[in-house]
Amino acid sequence: EEQLVQSGAEVKKPGESLKISCKGSGYSFSTYWIGWVRHMPGKGPEWMGIIYPGDSDTKYSPSFQGQVTISADKSKNTVYLQWSSLKTSDTAMYYCARHRAIFAVVSIDLWGQGTPVTVSS
Amino acid sequence: DIQMTQSPSSLSASVGDRVTITCRTSQSISNYLNWYQQKPGKAPRLLISVASSLQSGVPSRFSGSGSGTDFTLTISSLQPEDFATYYCQQSYSTPWTFGQGTKVEIK
């Protein structure tokens, strides 16, 4: 079964660092782009960026460039999202998401279960 | 960034109703449009890609249409399991953006 399994819920204080993970299984992990999507309550999802685990080529949304770091360890079939200094505004659900292209149209065909991140003093 | 505007933001409907959700983009995106369904506490699920291509396993009562700037998602006969929030997403240019969602509730 193809799946993405994310690390568990996190509760942090402002200014702390954090790294969450997403492990893929059941498919050729290194050959699909994996991205991260932020979802805040009552809002539409926000695409943060993607990485190609095969060579770690990474693209960021301008809104998240410099705010987070996306990385991958293809030997572990795992992609990461990290913050060096969290803000209360980072409180959200974070999904990892496999991207694939059909007729050049990219869509997200596989999602992780989500990692809730709470940042509060 | 390409702005996505969905309407309505919520609707109430009965089982068996025909439901139409609209997504409008701030610039032409050809057919680079996807639709997702999300139920409470769950990750989104891809329903339709390339504006009208139904994903494997998605019931045929779901359909998508449109190109350019105007798109629709139609549920021909609403079923109890269809009560959820629906999002459109463009993949014409990065950053890929989502609509704000349409919540389909039981009347």
Side-chain angles (χ1 to χ4, degrees), chain A residues 53-98:
Chain A
D55 60 8
S56 289
D57 186 17
T58 309
K59 306 179 192 300
Y60 292 93
S61 163
S63 297
F64 293 92
Q65 179 88 47
Q67 308 304 307
V68 297
T69 301
I70 296 171
S71 60
D73 183 342
K74 64 181 179 181
S75 70
K76 296 181 178 179
N77 281 10
T78 301
V79 170
Y80 303 94
L81 177 66
Q82 67 180 88
W83 295 259
S84 59
S85 180
L86 286 160
K87 308 178 184 66
T88 56
S89 57
D90 293 318
T91 296
M93 179 71 81
Y94 292 87
Y95 292 101
C96 65
R98 186 178 76 177

Side-chain angles (χ1 to χ4, degrees), chain B residues 7-81:
Chain B
S7 60
S9 55
S10 66
L11 64 90
S12 295
S14 301
V15 172
D17 284 353
R18 181 182 182 89
V19 168
T20 298
I21 298 169
T22 297
C23 179
R24 178 163 290 172
T25 60
S26 59
Q27 67 182 72
S28 178
I29 62 167
S30 183
N31 61 352
Y32 288 64
L33 193 284
N34 305 305
W35 288 98
Y36 301 87
Q37 175 194 65
Q38 186 176 32
K39 296 182 179 179
K42 299 291 187 182
R45 169 197 181 197
L46 178 65
L47 297 178
I48 289 170
S49 64
V50 201
S52 61
S53 178
L54 202 65
Q55 297 307 292
S56 174
V58 175
S60 58
R61 62 182 178 271
F62 289 92
S63 64
S65 64
S67 71
T69 61
D70 294 292
F71 301 87
T72 59
L73 172 69
T74 299
I75 309 172
S76 60
S77 178
L78 198 65
Q79 297 302 300
E81 60 268 30

Side-chain angles (χ1 to χ4, degrees), chain A residues 100-116:
Chain A
R100 63 107 195 251
I102 293 181
F103 303 119
V105 178
V106 177
S107 59
I108 298 172
D109 71 335
L110 185 65
W111 296 73
Q113 82 278 17
T115 296

Side-chain angles (χ1 to χ4, degrees), chain A residues 33-64:
Chain A
W33 290 82
I34 298 284
W36 289 95
V37 174
R38 183 173 78 176
H39 200 180
M40 299 173 128
K43 295 192 172 184
E46 298 170 273
W47 181 83
M48 302 174 72
I50 49 173
I51 188 166
Y52 189 75
D55 60 8
S56 289
D57 186 17
T58 309
K59 306 179 192 300
Y60 292 93
S61 163
S63 297
F64 293 92

